[in-house]
Amino acid sequence: MNQVTENTNRWRFLITGVLVSLVLGMIYAWSIFTLPLENEFGWTRAQTSLTFSISIITLSIGMIFGGRIIEKKGVKAVSVAGALMVAAGFFLASATRSLMMLYISYGVFVGLGVGAVYISHISTIARWFPDRKGFAMGILTMGFGMGGLILGGIAGYLIESMGWVTAFRALALISLVVCVTGGLLVRFPGPAWKPTRLETQKPGAAPAVATVLNLDWNEMIKTKEWWQWWFWDLFLCASGLMVIGHIVPLAMEKGVDKAEAIFAMGILSVSNGCGRLMFGTLWDRFGKRLAMTGSGLMMGIALFCVVLLTEAIGHYGLYVAVILTGLAYGGLVPINNTFILESFGPKHSGINIGLGSTPLIIAVLAGPYLGSYIKMNSGYDTTMMIGGAVALVSFLIAFSIGDVQKRLGGQGEMAPAAAGS
């Protein structure tokens, strides 16, 4: 369904996906709306912050159910429906007069829609780039990571000049045009399609073969490799969010100027996007072991640097720490998607990758809360040291994750020819 069998230029699907991802990434720029809404309605920070938590949880739910519906209704239907939901959510948010309306519009509608559109383009790119999975996933998710920075700046300007209502409506229009158009353009390759040549071959990888085991979600969650990866991702997500959720007050507590602390958040956003491309490319060239251990080790070092380097050399040390944190945290997205594709096959990638967002649901609730709890009892230094230790646990877990394809009798490395199967 929705397949293309002719010799199609696959790069147009990646370019389309990146443009759509830039718009979807706006969901991470929620914080620019908090002060205007709090000032107008008198809401507390806890009340407005719940909007973001709801949106991230529903994003994951949208990915899971969107991936399942793709297998039945096709990728175009899910992508267009999700895009309409995103646009409707932003537009309804512009008419907000109560917290419940905000939670439903931005939290539920935008979150579910973003999840459905996101998984549609991930599933599409997974099939068009079987030979460069890490690179393609890195490019696609880099757009998602950078969207909050780019569109967040535009929305911030609109809020300052014309108000938050206009900003929400502008985002609704942008979503309608870009995401719906992108949804109409997505296609899966035909069953016999394969790249004309192997553009990137991992050192020591097996020759291209036509057969790869495709595990559905029920089979996937019964493998030990799934659960090893799941805890690896959970620990790194929670560790990264300890920094992301507290970096400005932490830096100011250590004597860093407020402007420099806020600038560090900008650096974090950019390095987050760069980390997606960097670790996706590392996976393609050197395989999962180096990518997964490298991400865990870098995150652990980053959290230790937040304490040690910031104390030693001030804001310059903080910048080094947030760069490492952003690279490691951003790298989780292409690593996770590529791990699930290579380990469990491309056929059920929609729902399988959707389920791969479940560690984030727990981490987005537990990470910042755990960081706040430890901080209140022992201070930020202890918080960062514990987070660094947790990240190093993931570093060790990565060494134990084997090749589920090879263990279950498949071909080991997922081959380019299998991507359309």
Side-chain angles (χ1 to χ4, degrees):
M1 187 176 294
N2 291 333
Q3 293 179 332
V4 174
T5 56
E6 68 270 19
N7 184 21
T8 303
N9 183 357
R10 60 182 179 167
W11 291 95
R12 69 184 177 95
F13 298 105
L14 183 56
I15 294 171
T16 299
V18 170
L19 293 176
V20 171
S21 294
L22 283 170
V23 176
L24 300 181
M26 181 59 208
I27 196 171
Y28 282 114
W30 161 251
S31 60
I32 66 173
F33 289 101
T34 55
L35 281 177
L37 291 170
E38 288 168 5
N39 291 337
E40 180 154 345
F41 297 106
W43 296 330
T44 66
R45 183 58 51 88
Q47 289 173 323
T48 56
S49 295
L50 182 58
T51 309
F52 179 71
S53 297
I54 293 172
S55 69
I56 296 302
I57 292 171
T58 56
L59 184 156
S60 298
I61 294 172
M63 289 181 66
I64 294 170
F65 285 96
R68 183 63 173 170
I69 297 171
I70 284 172
E71 296 182 1
K72 297 180 178 181
K73 301 296 184 180
V75 67
K76 181 183 293 186
V78 173
S79 185
V80 172
L84 293 173
M85 190 173 291
V86 173
F90 280 131
F91 185 79
L92 290 173
S94 72
T96 291
R97 291 297 179 269
S98 68
L99 279 169
M100 185 56 64
M101 188 172 184
L102 183 64
Y103 295 158
I104 292 173
S105 60
Y106 194 102
V108 178
F109 273 69
V110 174
L112 286 175
V114 167
V117 178
Y118 189 46
I119 196 62
S120 298
H121 287 275
I122 287 177
S123 298
T124 300
I125 297 307
R127 287 165 170 78
W128 282 106
F129 288 85
D131 55 332
R132 305 187 71 180
K133 295 179 293 293
F135 169 80
M137 288 296 168
I139 290 288
L140 181 67
T141 58
M142 183 178 180
F144 193 76
M146 299 291 285
L149 182 64
I150 296 172
L151 278 186
I154 296 174
Y157 171 77
L158 291 175
I159 290 172
E160 289 294 325
S161 58
M162 290 179 278
W164 60 269
V165 172
T166 300
F168 271 134
R169 289 178 179 174
L171 291 175
L173 179 61
I174 293 171
S175 301
L176 187 64
V177 174
V178 177
C179 296
V180 171
T181 302
L184 293 172
L185 294 176
V186 293
R187 300 284 192 280
F188 284 171
W193 180 89
K194 61 181 180 180
T196 55
R197 63 187 180 90
L198 186 61
E199 297 181 19
T200 300
Q201 180 71 40
K202 295 178 189 176
V209 290
T211 303
V212 167
L213 296 177
N214 286 291
L215 280 66
D216 63 25
W217 72 270
N218 191 43
E219 296 169 319
M220 176 181 72
I221 64 174
K222 293 177 181 178
T223 65
K224 65 178 182 180
E225 289 84 1
W226 163 262
W227 290 106
Q228 288 170 326
W229 164 83
W230 197 92
F231 282 103
W232 173 89
D233 186 46
L234 174 65
F235 292 157
L236 286 184
C237 281
S239 298
L241 288 170
M242 283 185 179
V243 176
I244 295 170
H246 297 273
I247 190 63
V248 173
L250 180 152
M252 293 177 64
E253 185 177 284
K254 288 187 170 296
V256 175
D257 180 80
K258 182 179 180 180
E260 293 168 339
I262 294 174
F263 180 65
M265 283 298 298
I267 294 176
L268 184 67
S269 297
V270 174
S271 58
N272 183 304
C274 293
R276 298 171 187 232
L277 178 59
M278 184 181 82
F279 277 96
T281 303
L282 278 176
W283 184 295
D284 282 341
R285 291 187 61 82
F286 301 106
K288 75 167 181 255
R289 183 62 55 81
L290 180 61
M292 295 182 76
T293 56
S295 180
L297 182 61
M298 183 177 290
M299 184 71 79
I301 293 173
L303 268 69
F304 293 137
C305 285
V306 170
V307 176
L308 302 176
L309 280 186
T310 304
E311 287 184 353
I313 55 177
H315 65 278
Y316 294 111
L318 175 67
Y319 295 162
V320 172
V322 297
I323 288 172
L324 293 176
T325 302
L327 290 173
Y329 189 78
L332 295 181
V333 183
I335 289 175
N336 295 343
N337 295 345
T338 309
F339 173 82
I340 292 172
L341 281 168
E342 286 205 352
S343 298
F344 309 110
K347 185 176 181 180
H348 307 288
S349 60
I351 188 170
N352 289 350
I353 291 176
L355 286 170
S357 66
T358 50
L360 177 61
I361 296 177
I362 296 176
V364 79
L365 296 173
Y369 174 80
L370 181 61
S372 297
Y373 178 81
I374 299 172
K375 188 268 176 185
M376 287 188 295
N377 289 274
S378 305
Y380 272 129
D381 285 1
T382 303
T383 303
M384 295 299 108
M385 290 297 183
I386 291 177
V390 170
L392 292 180
V393 171
S394 284
F395 166 73
L396 297 175
I397 290 175
F399 283 102
S400 68
I401 303 177
D403 189 331
V404 65
Q405 287 281 324
K406 187 175 295 184
R407 182 174 66 81
L408 296 179
Q411 299 289 347
E413 296 288 340
M414 192 172 79
S421 63

